[in-house]
Amino acid sequence: MPGTFFGINTALRGLEAQQGAMDVTSHNIANASTPGYSRQSVDLQTTAPWYDPSMQPAGAGQIGTGVTISSITRAHDDFTQQQIVYQNQAQQQQQTLSDTLTSISQIYNDPTAQGFSTLLSNYFTAWQQLANNPSDNPSRAVVASQGAALAQGFNAAAGSLTSMQQDQNNQVGAYVQQVNTLSGQIAGLNQQIVEVLGTGQQPNDLEDKRDTLLTQLSQIANVQYTLQPNGAMNVALVGAGALVQGVSSYQLATIPDSQASSQVAAQPGYSDVVFQGQTTPLQLSGGQLGAALTMRDQTIQGQINSLNSLANNVVTAVNSIQMAGYGSNGATGVPFFVQSGTTAATMAVNPDIQNNLANIATASSVDPTTGLPAPADGTVAQQISQLQENPPPGGTVTLQQQYEGIISALGVAGQQAQTNVQTGQLVLQNLNAQESSVSSVSLNEESSNLIQFQNAYQAAAHVISIFDQTISDMIQQLGG
Amino acid sequence: MRISDQQILALAQYQMNADYDQLAQAQTVLATGRQINTPADNPVGAAAALELQDHQAQTNSFSTTASDTLSWLQTTDTGLSSVNDALIQARTLAVQGGDATLTPDQLQAIAANVSQLLQTAVQAANATYDGRYVLSGDKTNTPPFAITTSGGVTSVTYQGDSNAIQREISPGQMMQINTPGSTALPQVFAAIAQLQNDLQSGNTAAISGTDLQALDDAHDGLLVAQAGVGANINRIQSVQSTIQTTQLNLSSQYSQLVDADMATAATNFSERQATYQAALSAAAKVIQPTLLDFLK
C-alpha cells in the first residue's frame, strides 16, 4: 500500500491543479477585452500512477496519484489569421484608392454648375459671341478673360493633383519607418519565443503579442508569414523579399526615384523603396505603403497625364486656328495661349493677347491695301467656337467629349473602388468574427469554468481536512 | 458555433456603422436635391449630364445670336422699306416731270424734290445697327452710300463691298445675315440720280422714257431684295422657336438625370433613419448580462 500521507499528497496535487486552473481562468477574464488576446486553457492530466514494485504484483494494482497541469494552450486559428493578414492589406489598398478617387473628383467638381466643364463651355461660347461682332472690344475682353479663367482652371487642377501626389510621397517615408520598427520587434519576439519553447514551456502571451504586431504590419504592407518548427515566425514582403527570418530582420530604406514607370519618367523628388544597402527599387502594392506608391505613380499620375493631354489639345487646336487668322489690327501669327505652355500646369494666355485685345485673331483675310481685315469678318472666331461641335484636327472626339471621358472613367473607377471597399469590409468582418469565435474570451464560459474549478478546489480542501482528521484519529487511538 | 463577447459587440458596431453610412448618403441626396453628386454616383449619367450642360450653354449662345441677328435683319428691312418709299415717290415725280409742257422753273422745283428724296433714301440705306452699317457688306464701319456732285451731275457711289457676313445660327448651319448694298440699291440710286440730273437739264424726253423704265426696273430689283430679307426674318424666327423648345427639352432631360425626386429621397431618408434607430436599439440590448450576474 502507498504510505500514510499518500492521500494527502493526492489531494494536495488536486488543490494545486485547481488553483492553477483558477489562475488561468482569472487571466482570461482579466484580458476579456484585450485586443489580440487568445484565451488560454489548462490541459489537466493525471499524474503517473503508483504501484507496488515486485516480481509478483499483488494487491489492488495501480493507484492514481492525482492531477497536474501538463500545459497551458492558447486557442488560435492559424488559417483564419493567414486570411486576415491578406485581407487587411487588400482592404487598405482599396480604401486608399477610393479616398483618392473621391478627392480627385472633388477637384473637378462636376457635374455641377461651377465645375471645370463650365469653364470650357464658357470659353467657347465667348468665341461664338465674338464672331457675331468681331470689332466689339468688350466681346474681345470677354474672350481674353474666359481664356485666362480656363488656363487658371487647368493650372489649379494640375496643382491640386501634384500636391496630392506629394502628400502620398511624404507618407512613404513614414510607412517605411513603421515597417522597420515592426519587423525589428517581431524579430526580437522570435528570439524570446524560441528561447522559451526551448525550455519546454508555452510562450502564449508572447505569441499573442507577436500576432498583434503582425496584424499591424499587415495593414501597412502586403506580407505573408510562415511559422517555423522552432516557433519563429518568418515574414516576407510579397514580391520583394524576406523582412524577418528567424531572429534577424531586414530593414527597408528609401532612395530618390531613378526609374521611369509606365506613366511618367523618373522623378528624383520622389522616393523609391529598397532593402537597405541595395539599389533595386521594390515593386510594392497592397497595404498603406503599397497603396501610397500606387496612388502616387499610377492613379494620380494617370489623371495628371489625362489632364495634360486635354490641355495640350486645347492649346494646340486654338493656337493653330488663331495663328492663321488676323486680328482687328491686321496682326497675324499671334498665338492665343503661350506656345510652350502645353501642360495643364504651364497653360497660360499669351501676354501679347492680354495687353492688346486687337491681337485676338477673328478674321480670315485682310484687305491688301490697308492690311486690315473687314470689320465684320469673324470667320476665325467662328472656327474656334466650332471646336465645340467638331473634333480638333487629327482628333476623333471634341474637346468637351475628351473631358467627359476623363470624368466618366473617374466615376467608373470610383464606383468600383467603393464597391470593393464595402465587400472587403464585409469579408474582413466575417473573418474577424471567425477568429473571435475561436480565440476570444466568453465570460459565460469563464465564469462557469471558475465555478467548476472552485468547487473542485473546495472538495480537495475538504478531502485534506478529512484525511487530517482520520490521521489524527489514528494517532490518538494508537498513541494512547 | 461558439460566440464570444467581442464577436457580438464587433457585429453590432459593424451594423451600426453600415446603417449610419447609408443614412449619411440618403441625407446628402436630400440636402443637395441631386441624385448625382459625384461621378462615382452614376458614371455614365455624370458624363451624359456634362454633355447636356454643354448643349445648354451652346443653345443659350445660339439664342443670343438669333435675337441679335433678328434685330440686324429688321434694321435692314426698315432701311430697304424707306428706300422703297422714296423710290415710289420718285416715280410719281418722274411721271409729273415727263410732261414736255412744263416750264424750266417747274422742272427745277421737281428736281429739288427729287434731290430731297435721294438724300432721304441714301440716309435710310446708311442705317446702322449697334454702330455697324448693315448694308456695307463686310465693311461695317464705312457708310455704304455717298452722294457726290461734280460739274452739276449728281451720282451716288457705293463704298462698301459685296462680301457676305455668315453666322452660325444653329449647330453646323450658317446663314448669310446681310444684304450687301451692291445688290439692287446702286440701280435704285442711279435711277433717281439720273432723274434728278435730267430734271435739272430739262430732258423731258429721257424722263418719260428711259428714266421711268430705269425706275421701274430698279423697283423690281429692290422688291426681290426685300423679299430675301423677309425670308431670312422668317427663318430666324423659326430658329428662335426651335431654340426655345430645345432649351426646355434640355432643361427637363438634365433635371431628370441629375435632380432627385424629393418624395423618393425623403422616403428613403426616413426608411434608413428607422433602420439605423433599430440597429441602435438592438445594439443596446445585445450587451447582455453574463452568467456572473446570476452567480451568487
Side-chain angles (χ1 to χ4, degrees):
Chain A
M1 289 302 287
T4 316
F5 301 105
F6 180 77
I8 291 184
N9 277 327
T10 305
L12 181 62
R13 283 198 195 95
L15 214 59
E16 286 170 348
Q18 302 307 329
Q19 190 169 27
M22 283 201 289
D23 287 341
V24 170
T25 307
S26 129
H27 182 60
N28 279 346
I29 292 179
N31 282 301
S33 53
T34 306
Y37 176 76
S38 312
R39 67 194 167 98
Q40 296 170 7
S41 45
V42 293
D43 295 333
L44 295 170
Q45 270 190 357
T46 53
T47 45
W50 178 90
Y51 59 94
D52 209 353
S54 86
M55 296 295 282
Q56 284 150 347
Q62 295 193 335
I63 300 182
T65 50
V67 68
T68 184
I69 298 178
S70 66
S71 68
I72 303 173
T73 49
R74 71 195 247 271
H76 180 75
D77 183 358
D78 189 52
F79 178 66
T80 309
Q81 189 179 28
Q82 294 273 12
Q83 288 184 296
I84 290 178
V85 163
Y86 173 76
Q87 198 60 34
N88 271 344
Q89 60 82 22
Q91 183 65 6
Q92 284 298 332
Q93 175 91 3
Q94 289 300 322
Q95 185 69 56
T96 310
L97 180 63
S98 175
D99 292 342
T100 304
L101 290 172
T102 308
S103 301
I104 293 178
S105 47
Q106 282 167 351
I107 292 176
Y108 294 123
N109 197 22
D110 264 323
T112 63
Q114 301 85 26
F116 195 83
S117 81
T118 313
L119 288 176
L120 269 176
S121 55
N122 282 353
Y123 179 62
F124 289 113
T125 48
W127 276 109
Q128 186 161 40
Q129 292 307 312
L130 180 58
N132 293 344
N133 195 354
S135 42
D136 181 39
N137 240 15
S139 299
R140 286 174 173 265
V142 170
V143 168
S145 68
Q146 291 291 1
L150 181 63
Q152 277 159 16
F154 271 105
N155 298 152
S160 298
L161 287 171
T162 309
S163 114
M164 276 174 74
Q165 229 180 6
Q166 281 166 351
D167 284 343
Q168 296 292 347
N169 185 57
N170 291 343
Q171 295 185 347
V172 169
Y175 290 138
V176 162
Q177 291 257 23
Q178 285 182 31
V179 169
N180 286 344
T181 309
L182 288 168
S183 62
Q185 286 175 327
I186 291 178
L189 278 173
N190 273 347
Q191 175 143 35
Q192 290 180 38
I193 289 173
V194 168
E195 281 169 6
V196 168
L197 279 172
T199 65
Q201 297 183 338
Q202 291 292 327
N204 290 324
D205 292 332
L206 290 175
E207 283 175 337
D208 277 345
K209 205 172 282 186
R210 188 175 62 182
D211 284 343
T212 309
L213 292 173
L214 177 67
T215 309
Q216 286 177 12
L217 184 59
S218 71
Q219 304 264 11
I220 304 175
N222 187 4
V223 295
Q224 281 176 348
Y225 74 96
T226 44
L227 286 170
Q228 303 301 308
N230 66 348
M233 178 190 276
N234 284 359
V235 181
L237 197 55
V238 171
L243 269 182
V244 176
Q245 254 178 346
V247 300
S248 11
S249 74
Y250 299 98
Q251 304 284 290
L252 298 175
T254 57
I255 57 170
D257 180 30
S258 59
Q259 243 188 14
S261 77
S262 64
Q263 302 274 359
V264 73
Q267 295 167 292
Y270 291 157
S271 318
D272 276 342
V273 180
V274 295
F275 276 112
Q276 204 154 50
Q278 296 188 0
T279 53
T280 325
L282 303 172
Q283 307 298 330
L284 300 172
S285 74
Q288 289 169 321
L289 176 59
L293 290 169
T294 311
M295 292 307 109
R296 186 193 75 191
D297 296 334
Q298 309 279 337
T299 313
I300 302 177
Q301 187 59 48
Q303 277 300 313
I304 292 178
N305 290 353
S306 303
L307 193 61
N308 282 346
S309 161
L310 181 63
N312 183 41
N313 286 351
V314 171
V315 169
T316 317
V318 170
N319 276 355
S320 70
I321 301 175
Q322 266 286 280
M323 287 166 69
Y326 298 87
S328 61
N329 54 4
T332 184
V334 180
F336 188 90
F337 293 107
V338 172
Q339 279 189 296
S340 55
T342 52
T343 64
T346 55
M347 182 167 164
V349 176
N350 187 352
D352 290 341
I353 294 280
Q354 286 176 318
N355 295 334
N356 185 359
L357 296 172
N359 278 333
I360 298 179
T362 47
S364 56
S365 61
V366 286
D367 185 332
T369 46
T370 60
L372 298 175
D377 184 358
T379 331
V380 162
Q382 193 80 73
Q383 282 172 0
I384 293 182
S385 90
Q386 278 170 334
L387 285 172
Q388 285 181 299
E389 302 148 28
N390 306 326
T396 46
V397 292
T398 68
L399 295 167
Q400 271 287 20
Q401 283 169 338
Q402 191 180 353
Y403 176 69
E404 281 156 26
I406 293 178
I407 290 291
S408 81
L410 200 58
V412 168
Q415 203 178 47
Q416 181 96 37
Q418 279 174 4
T419 310
N420 287 346
V421 164
Q422 281 176 347
T423 315
Q425 273 174 346
L426 195 55
V427 171
L428 207 51
Q429 201 267 338
N430 278 337
L431 286 173
N432 281 332
Q434 235 174 299
E435 191 201 34
S436 180
S437 170
V438 172
S439 306
S440 289
V441 171
S442 160
L443 286 176
N444 293 340
E445 204 176 54
E446 299 303 318
S447 32
S448 66
N449 282 345
L450 200 56
I451 301 291
Q452 188 187 339
F453 297 139
Q454 185 191 18
N455 286 342
Y457 182 90
Q458 284 174 338
H462 201 60
V463 165
I464 289 183
S465 94
I466 291 192
F467 267 115
D468 175 45
Q469 237 182 323
T470 318
I471 291 172
S472 80
D473 277 348
M474 182 184 73
I475 292 176
Q476 272 194 337
Q477 297 292 346
L478 295 178
Chain B
M1 177 166 123
R2 177 175 178 275
I3 305 282
S4 65
D5 303 299
Q6 271 188 11
Q7 213 179 322
I8 296 237
L9 286 168
L11 183 64
Q13 273 181 2
Y14 172 76
Q15 296 288 13
M16 279 194 289
N17 279 340
D19 289 337
Y20 202 39
D21 188 38
Q22 296 276 343
L23 183 63
Q25 281 180 27
Q27 196 209 8
T28 307
V29 171
L30 202 58
T32 60
R34 296 163 64 100
Q35 299 173 25
I36 304 183
N37 289 303
T38 69
D41 291 338
N42 182 354
V44 172
L50 287 180
E51 186 84 15
L52 286 173
Q53 244 180 278
D54 190 44
H55 279 152
Q56 275 179 318
Q58 280 187 47
T59 309
N60 290 344
S61 177
F62 282 127
S63 175
T64 314
T65 304
S67 22
D68 187 67
T69 306
L70 183 63
S71 305
W72 178 288
L73 289 169
Q74 282 169 339
T75 309
T76 310
D77 190 43
T78 311
L80 291 181
S81 291
S82 305
V83 170
N84 193 28
D85 291 342
L87 182 59
I88 292 172
Q89 286 183 38
R91 197 189 181 278
T92 315
L93 291 176
V95 169
Q96 254 190 354
D99 187 352
T101 61
L102 290 173
T103 66
D105 282 341
Q106 287 173 313
L107 287 172
Q108 287 301 329
I110 301 176
N113 267 349
V114 173
S115 167
Q116 205 60 39
L117 279 177
L118 185 61
Q119 283 173 29
T120 311
V122 166
Q123 197 174 21
N126 287 349
T128 61
Y129 167 70
D130 195 26
R132 293 169 277 170
Y133 293 102
V134 301
L135 288 166
S136 280
D138 237 338
K139 299 161 111 170
T140 52
N141 53 357
T142 316
F145 293 103
I147 307 179
T148 52
T149 319
S150 79
V153 175
T154 310
S155 56
V156 177
T157 44
Y158 178 61
Q159 300 172 128
D161 62 28
S162 53
N163 289 338
I165 300 177
Q166 299 272 11
R167 266 192 201 172
E168 195 182 11
I169 52 168
S170 64
Q173 260 201 324
M174 306 293 280
M175 177 171 115
Q176 179 180 344
I177 65 167
N178 68 329
T179 310
S182 52
T183 343
L185 286 173
Q187 246 192 323
V188 171
F189 294 135
I192 300 180
Q194 190 56 40
L195 176 64
Q196 183 186 341
N197 291 335
D198 286 342
L199 281 168
Q200 282 170 337
S201 59
N203 188 349
T204 52
I207 293 170
S208 60
T210 53
D211 288 352
L212 211 48
Q213 188 60 46
L215 285 169
D216 284 338
D217 291 341
H219 191 210
D220 290 339
L222 188 56
L223 286 177
V224 169
Q226 275 189 292
V229 174
N232 276 349
I233 289 179
N234 283 344
R235 186 173 165 200
I236 272 291
Q237 281 171 335
S238 119
V239 164
Q240 274 185 319
S241 153
T242 310
I243 285 175
Q244 272 186 336
T245 316
T246 309
Q247 279 173 327
L248 281 175
N249 281 344
L250 287 176
S251 201
S252 110
Q253 276 179 14
Y254 185 78
S255 178
Q256 270 184 343
L257 195 56
V258 169
D259 291 339
D261 172 35
M262 289 319 267
T264 315
T267 314
N268 254 353
F269 180 75
S270 303
E271 191 185 308
R272 292 190 183 173
Q273 200 176 24
T275 311
Y276 177 61
Q277 283 175 346
L280 284 177
S281 90
K285 295 203 176 77
V286 93
I287 306 171
Q288 299 278 13
T290 62
L291 191 57
L292 289 165
D293 291 320
F294 295 100
L295 293 171
K296 277 296 161 247

